[in-house]
Amino acid sequence: MANPHTNQPAHVKHYFVSSEQQFDAAKMGMWLFLVTEILLFSGMFVAYTIYRSWHPETWMALSTALDWKLGGLNTLVLLASSFTVAMGINQIQRGNQKGLLLNLILTFVFAGVFLVVKYFEYSAKIEHGLLPGAAFDPHGISHGFDYATYNVPYGPQFFSIYFVMTGIHGFHVLVGMGLFAWITWKAKNGAFSAEYYTPVENCGLYWHLVDIIWIFLFPLLYLI
Amino acid sequence: MSQDHGHHIIPVKMLYAVIGVLVFLTVLTVALAQVELGVFEVPVALAIALTKAGFVVMIFMALKWDNRVNASILAVGALCVLIFISFILIDTEFRGDLSNTTEGTIMDQQRVEQAMEGREPERSDISFNRQ
């Protein structure tokens, strides 16, 4: 499968010296993109910092409105998906296409589980009026607990920040599922090998970043 | 250079060890949230989250064995975040303390204020004025 003009493997574009150079260039581009993602989320973390530092009592009161069990479960699910991505890359580096395929499917499933859990969390919040801004109206009784006690000053701001941060993170998970569906399909058709697995590497880097964002969101929103 | 002979393959054993550490740190941060830590609550939670992120970046994202240029790109991003958060905290935590632009130091002013308070007559001594 070599290019007859350059004596390079078929996946190497003519403007690269080698497969290695092409891989490094793609990966560096991915890291640059990840930094823009970090900056996107840092704006929201700054908003979080301002409101938390001015109204710590609101943050402490309303972090209990979020279910740490579901949040913790989702943390473990995302950690597991990061692990399967790393395992998949390990497998394809050894030339094991089936091992890669299995790990990519597992990653896709874990991402789906994350969104299903998030769906149940959001439904409970919407049902009891724990909503952002003007829509904030805690009401209803569940398991003997009166949600009206969550009606504290600056509660609307807390839930604005909660929904924007977890919403944009959830959107990234959705995009990640699309990416993993795409590379899983490619992997099934045998597109990747120990010599060429750049899309797997870069989608993996993206996925790890989505995991890292959640590593910070979980304690900051659910626990403290 | 080793890179010319293919990429660094992270041993499966190490991947298992890292996921073990990450799960342990998740359990630890949940457990510590149930304990009353006072002012250390946020720093402890952030320290654990940073440690977890460090393991993901270094091992899962393989930055430890990667081209150094990628590490410096990440470092620039992290530096920006640090600047954003720390400058915001300087504002939110110390607003008012820093906007004092009158002559003399804050300690000078406090000394004058205390001297003035010392000269303030008792309320009962000036009550005849009100009648």
Short mmCIF file of all heavy atoms in Angstrom, two decimals, chain A residues 55-96:
data_model
loop_
_atom_site.label_atom_id
_atom_site.label_comp_id
_atom_site.label_asym_id
_atom_site.label_seq_id
_atom_site.Cartn_x
_atom_site.Cartn_y
_atom_site.Cartn_z
N HIS A 55 -21.06 34.57 47.40
CA HIS A 55 -22.20 33.94 48.08
C HIS A 55 -21.90 32.49 48.46
O HIS A 55 -22.56 31.57 48.00
CB HIS A 55 -23.44 33.98 47.17
CG HIS A 55 -23.67 35.33 46.58
ND1 HIS A 55 -24.04 36.42 47.34
CD2 HIS A 55 -23.54 35.79 45.31
CE1 HIS A 55 -24.14 37.49 46.55
NE2 HIS A 55 -23.84 37.14 45.33
N PRO A 56 -20.87 32.28 49.30
CA PRO A 56 -20.48 30.90 49.64
C PRO A 56 -21.62 30.12 50.28
O PRO A 56 -21.75 28.91 50.07
CB PRO A 56 -19.29 31.07 50.59
CG PRO A 56 -19.35 32.48 51.07
CD PRO A 56 -20.04 33.28 50.00
N GLU A 57 -22.48 30.81 51.09
CA GLU A 57 -23.55 30.10 51.79
C GLU A 57 -24.55 29.51 50.79
O GLU A 57 -25.05 28.41 50.99
CB GLU A 57 -24.24 31.01 52.82
CG GLU A 57 -24.94 32.25 52.27
CD GLU A 57 -23.98 33.30 51.68
OE1 GLU A 57 -22.82 33.38 52.12
OE2 GLU A 57 -24.40 34.03 50.76
N THR A 58 -24.81 30.23 49.67
CA THR A 58 -25.69 29.70 48.63
C THR A 58 -25.10 28.43 48.03
O THR A 58 -25.79 27.43 47.83
CB THR A 58 -25.88 30.74 47.51
OG1 THR A 58 -26.44 31.91 48.07
CG2 THR A 58 -26.79 30.21 46.41
N TRP A 59 -23.79 28.49 47.77
CA TRP A 59 -23.14 27.34 47.13
C TRP A 59 -23.16 26.12 48.05
O TRP A 59 -23.40 25.00 47.60
CB TRP A 59 -21.71 27.73 46.73
CG TRP A 59 -21.60 27.91 45.26
CD1 TRP A 59 -20.89 27.13 44.41
CD2 TRP A 59 -22.25 28.90 44.45
NE1 TRP A 59 -21.07 27.58 43.12
CE2 TRP A 59 -21.89 28.66 43.11
CE3 TRP A 59 -23.11 29.96 44.71
CZ2 TRP A 59 -22.36 29.43 42.06
CZ3 TRP A 59 -23.57 30.73 43.66
CH2 TRP A 59 -23.19 30.47 42.37
N MET A 60 -22.92 26.37 49.34
CA MET A 60 -22.92 25.23 50.27
C MET A 60 -24.32 24.66 50.43
O MET A 60 -24.50 23.45 50.51
CB MET A 60 -22.35 25.66 51.62
CG MET A 60 -20.83 25.65 51.63
SD MET A 60 -20.20 26.03 53.25
CE MET A 60 -19.48 27.61 53.01
N ALA A 61 -25.33 25.54 50.43
CA ALA A 61 -26.70 25.06 50.61
C ALA A 61 -27.18 24.29 49.39
O ALA A 61 -27.83 23.25 49.51
CB ALA A 61 -27.63 26.24 50.89
N LEU A 62 -26.85 24.80 48.18
CA LEU A 62 -27.43 24.20 46.98
C LEU A 62 -26.61 23.04 46.40
O LEU A 62 -27.12 22.30 45.56
CB LEU A 62 -27.67 25.28 45.92
CG LEU A 62 -28.80 26.26 46.31
CD1 LEU A 62 -29.06 27.25 45.20
CD2 LEU A 62 -30.08 25.51 46.65
N SER A 63 -25.34 22.88 46.85
CA SER A 63 -24.61 21.69 46.37
C SER A 63 -25.32 20.43 46.86
O SER A 63 -25.23 19.38 46.22
CB SER A 63 -23.16 21.72 46.85
OG SER A 63 -23.10 21.59 48.26
N THR A 64 -26.09 20.55 47.99
CA THR A 64 -26.84 19.38 48.47
C THR A 64 -28.06 19.11 47.60
O THR A 64 -28.64 18.03 47.68
CB THR A 64 -27.29 19.58 49.93
OG1 THR A 64 -28.12 20.75 49.97
CG2 THR A 64 -26.12 19.75 50.86
N ALA A 65 -28.47 20.09 46.77
CA ALA A 65 -29.60 19.87 45.86
C ALA A 65 -29.21 18.96 44.70
O ALA A 65 -30.07 18.42 44.02
CB ALA A 65 -30.13 21.19 45.33
N LEU A 66 -27.88 18.82 44.48
CA LEU A 66 -27.40 17.94 43.42
C LEU A 66 -27.09 16.58 44.04
O LEU A 66 -26.53 16.49 45.13
CB LEU A 66 -26.16 18.52 42.75
CG LEU A 66 -26.31 19.95 42.22
CD1 LEU A 66 -24.99 20.44 41.66
CD2 LEU A 66 -27.40 20.02 41.16
N ASP A 67 -27.45 15.50 43.31
CA ASP A 67 -27.29 14.15 43.84
C ASP A 67 -25.85 13.67 43.64
O ASP A 67 -25.45 13.35 42.52
CB ASP A 67 -28.27 13.22 43.12
CG ASP A 67 -28.36 11.86 43.79
OD1 ASP A 67 -27.42 11.52 44.55
OD2 ASP A 67 -29.35 11.16 43.57
N TRP A 68 -25.07 13.65 44.75
CA TRP A 68 -23.65 13.24 44.61
C TRP A 68 -23.51 11.78 44.19
O TRP A 68 -22.50 11.39 43.62
CB TRP A 68 -22.86 13.51 45.90
CG TRP A 68 -23.26 12.68 47.08
CD1 TRP A 68 -24.14 13.03 48.05
CD2 TRP A 68 -22.80 11.37 47.42
NE1 TRP A 68 -24.26 12.03 48.97
CE2 TRP A 68 -23.45 10.99 48.62
CE3 TRP A 68 -21.89 10.48 46.84
CZ2 TRP A 68 -23.24 9.76 49.24
CZ3 TRP A 68 -21.67 9.25 47.45
CH2 TRP A 68 -22.34 8.89 48.64
N LYS A 69 -24.55 10.97 44.46
CA LYS A 69 -24.45 9.56 44.06
C LYS A 69 -24.48 9.45 42.53
O LYS A 69 -23.68 8.73 41.94
CB LYS A 69 -25.60 8.75 44.67
CG LYS A 69 -25.42 8.52 46.15
CD LYS A 69 -26.62 7.81 46.74
CE LYS A 69 -26.58 7.91 48.26
NZ LYS A 69 -27.89 8.24 48.82
N LEU A 70 -25.42 10.18 41.91
CA LEU A 70 -25.49 10.15 40.43
C LEU A 70 -24.25 10.83 39.83
O LEU A 70 -23.69 10.35 38.85
CB LEU A 70 -26.77 10.83 39.94
CG LEU A 70 -28.07 10.08 40.24
CD1 LEU A 70 -29.27 10.86 39.69
CD2 LEU A 70 -28.04 8.68 39.64
N GLY A 71 -23.83 11.96 40.43
CA GLY A 71 -22.64 12.65 39.95
C GLY A 71 -21.40 11.77 40.09
O GLY A 71 -20.56 11.72 39.19
N GLY A 72 -21.29 11.08 41.23
CA GLY A 72 -20.16 10.18 41.45
C GLY A 72 -20.18 9.01 40.48
O GLY A 72 -19.14 8.62 39.93
N LEU A 73 -21.37 8.46 40.24
CA LEU A 73 -21.51 7.37 39.26
C LEU A 73 -21.01 7.84 37.89
O LEU A 73 -20.23 7.15 37.23
CB LEU A 73 -22.98 6.93 39.18
CG LEU A 73 -23.30 5.94 38.05
CD1 LEU A 73 -22.64 4.59 38.31
CD2 LEU A 73 -24.81 5.76 37.90
N ASN A 74 -21.43 9.05 37.51
CA ASN A 74 -21.00 9.57 36.20
C ASN A 74 -19.50 9.82 36.15
O ASN A 74 -18.88 9.67 35.10
CB ASN A 74 -21.76 10.87 35.88
CG ASN A 74 -22.89 10.60 34.92
OD1 ASN A 74 -23.02 9.50 34.38
ND2 ASN A 74 -23.72 11.60 34.70
N THR A 75 -18.91 10.21 37.31
CA THR A 75 -17.45 10.37 37.36
C THR A 75 -16.77 9.04 37.06
O THR A 75 -15.85 8.96 36.24
CB THR A 75 -17.01 10.88 38.74
OG1 THR A 75 -17.78 12.04 39.06
CG2 THR A 75 -15.54 11.22 38.76
N LEU A 76 -17.26 7.97 37.71
CA LEU A 76 -16.66 6.65 37.50
C LEU A 76 -16.87 6.18 36.05
O LEU A 76 -15.98 5.58 35.45
CB LEU A 76 -17.26 5.63 38.48
CG LEU A 76 -16.97 5.91 39.96
CD1 LEU A 76 -17.64 4.87 40.85
CD2 LEU A 76 -15.47 5.94 40.23
N VAL A 77 -18.05 6.49 35.49
CA VAL A 77 -18.33 6.09 34.11
C VAL A 77 -17.36 6.77 33.15
O VAL A 77 -16.79 6.13 32.26
CB VAL A 77 -19.81 6.43 33.75
CG1 VAL A 77 -20.04 6.36 32.25
CG2 VAL A 77 -20.76 5.50 34.46
N LEU A 78 -17.13 8.09 33.36
CA LEU A 78 -16.21 8.80 32.46
C LEU A 78 -14.77 8.34 32.66
O LEU A 78 -14.02 8.23 31.69
CB LEU A 78 -16.31 10.31 32.69
CG LEU A 78 -17.40 11.06 31.93
CD1 LEU A 78 -17.13 12.56 31.96
CD2 LEU A 78 -17.54 10.59 30.49
N LEU A 79 -14.38 8.05 33.91
CA LEU A 79 -13.02 7.53 34.15
C LEU A 79 -12.85 6.20 33.43
O LEU A 79 -11.82 5.96 32.79
CB LEU A 79 -12.77 7.35 35.66
CG LEU A 79 -12.59 8.63 36.48
CD1 LEU A 79 -12.45 8.30 37.96
CD2 LEU A 79 -11.37 9.41 36.01
N ALA A 80 -13.88 5.34 33.51
CA ALA A 80 -13.82 4.05 32.83
C ALA A 80 -13.69 4.24 31.32
O ALA A 80 -12.91 3.54 30.66
CB ALA A 80 -15.06 3.22 33.15
N SER A 81 -14.40 5.24 30.77
CA SER A 81 -14.33 5.47 29.32
C SER A 81 -12.95 6.00 28.92
O SER A 81 -12.44 5.68 27.86
CB SER A 81 -15.44 6.41 28.87
OG SER A 81 -15.19 7.71 29.33
N SER A 82 -12.34 6.81 29.79
CA SER A 82 -10.97 7.26 29.52
C SER A 82 -10.01 6.08 29.49
O SER A 82 -9.11 6.00 28.66
CB SER A 82 -10.52 8.25 30.60
OG SER A 82 -10.56 9.57 30.13
N PHE A 83 -10.26 5.16 30.44
CA PHE A 83 -9.41 3.95 30.52
C PHE A 83 -9.55 3.12 29.25
O PHE A 83 -8.54 2.67 28.68
CB PHE A 83 -9.82 3.14 31.75
CG PHE A 83 -9.17 1.79 31.83
CD1 PHE A 83 -7.84 1.67 32.18
CD2 PHE A 83 -9.90 0.64 31.54
CE1 PHE A 83 -7.24 0.42 32.25
CE2 PHE A 83 -9.30 -0.60 31.61
CZ PHE A 83 -7.97 -0.71 31.96
N THR A 84 -10.79 2.94 28.75
CA THR A 84 -10.97 2.11 27.55
C THR A 84 -10.34 2.78 26.32
O THR A 84 -9.83 2.08 25.45
CB THR A 84 -12.46 1.81 27.29
OG1 THR A 84 -13.20 3.03 27.29
CG2 THR A 84 -13.02 0.86 28.33
N VAL A 85 -10.36 4.12 26.27
CA VAL A 85 -9.68 4.80 25.16
C VAL A 85 -8.18 4.51 25.20
O VAL A 85 -7.58 4.14 24.18
CB VAL A 85 -9.92 6.33 25.24
CG1 VAL A 85 -9.00 7.07 24.28
CG2 VAL A 85 -11.36 6.66 24.89
N ALA A 86 -7.59 4.66 26.39
CA ALA A 86 -6.15 4.40 26.53
C ALA A 86 -5.83 2.94 26.19
O ALA A 86 -4.83 2.64 25.54
CB ALA A 86 -5.68 4.74 27.95
N MET A 87 -6.73 2.02 26.61
CA MET A 87 -6.54 0.59 26.29
C MET A 87 -6.64 0.36 24.78
O MET A 87 -5.86 -0.41 24.20
CB MET A 87 -7.62 -0.25 27.00
CG MET A 87 -7.30 -0.59 28.43
SD MET A 87 -5.86 -1.64 28.60
CE MET A 87 -6.61 -3.24 28.34
N GLY A 88 -7.60 1.04 24.14
CA GLY A 88 -7.78 0.89 22.69
C GLY A 88 -6.52 1.30 21.94
O GLY A 88 -6.09 0.61 21.01
N ILE A 89 -5.91 2.42 22.37
CA ILE A 89 -4.69 2.89 21.71
C ILE A 89 -3.55 1.90 21.96
O ILE A 89 -2.80 1.56 21.05
CB ILE A 89 -4.34 4.32 22.19
CG1 ILE A 89 -5.36 5.30 21.58
CG2 ILE A 89 -2.93 4.70 21.79
CD1 ILE A 89 -5.32 6.69 22.13
N ASN A 90 -3.49 1.38 23.19
CA ASN A 90 -2.50 0.34 23.49
C ASN A 90 -2.66 -0.85 22.54
O ASN A 90 -1.68 -1.38 21.99
CB ASN A 90 -2.67 -0.10 24.95
CG ASN A 90 -1.80 -1.27 25.32
OD1 ASN A 90 -2.05 -2.39 24.89
ND2 ASN A 90 -0.76 -1.02 26.10
N GLN A 91 -3.91 -1.27 22.30
CA GLN A 91 -4.17 -2.43 21.44
C GLN A 91 -3.75 -2.18 19.99
O GLN A 91 -3.10 -3.02 19.38
CB GLN A 91 -5.67 -2.79 21.49
CG GLN A 91 -6.15 -3.28 22.84
CD GLN A 91 -5.43 -4.53 23.29
OE1 GLN A 91 -5.38 -5.53 22.57
NE2 GLN A 91 -4.84 -4.49 24.48
N ILE A 92 -4.13 -1.01 19.45
CA ILE A 92 -3.83 -0.77 18.04
C ILE A 92 -2.33 -0.54 17.84
O ILE A 92 -1.77 -0.87 16.78
CB ILE A 92 -4.67 0.39 17.45
CG1 ILE A 92 -4.64 0.36 15.92
CG2 ILE A 92 -4.26 1.74 17.97
CD1 ILE A 92 -5.27 -0.87 15.29
N GLN A 93 -1.64 -0.01 18.89
CA GLN A 93 -0.18 0.15 18.78
C GLN A 93 0.50 -1.21 18.64
O GLN A 93 1.57 -1.32 18.07
CB GLN A 93 0.37 0.88 20.01
CG GLN A 93 0.15 2.39 19.95
CD GLN A 93 0.56 3.09 21.23
OE1 GLN A 93 0.50 2.52 22.32
NE2 GLN A 93 0.98 4.34 21.11
N ARG A 94 -0.15 -2.25 19.20
CA ARG A 94 0.37 -3.61 19.06
C ARG A 94 -0.22 -4.29 17.83
O ARG A 94 -0.03 -5.49 17.64
CB ARG A 94 0.00 -4.44 20.28
CG ARG A 94 0.60 -3.94 21.58
CD ARG A 94 -0.18 -4.52 22.75
NE ARG A 94 0.15 -3.86 23.99
CZ ARG A 94 1.11 -4.30 24.82
NH1 ARG A 94 1.77 -5.38 24.53
NH2 ARG A 94 1.36 -3.64 25.92
N GLY A 95 -1.02 -3.54 17.04
CA GLY A 95 -1.59 -4.11 15.82
C GLY A 95 -2.84 -4.93 16.03
O GLY A 95 -3.29 -5.63 15.11
N ASN A 96 -3.45 -4.86 17.22
CA ASN A 96 -4.64 -5.66 17.52
C ASN A 96 -5.91 -4.86 17.16
O ASN A 96 -6.41 -4.07 17.95
CB ASN A 96 -4.65 -6.05 19.00
CG ASN A 96 -5.83 -6.94 19.35
OD1 ASN A 96 -6.74 -7.15 18.54
ND2 ASN A 96 -5.81 -7.48 20.56
#
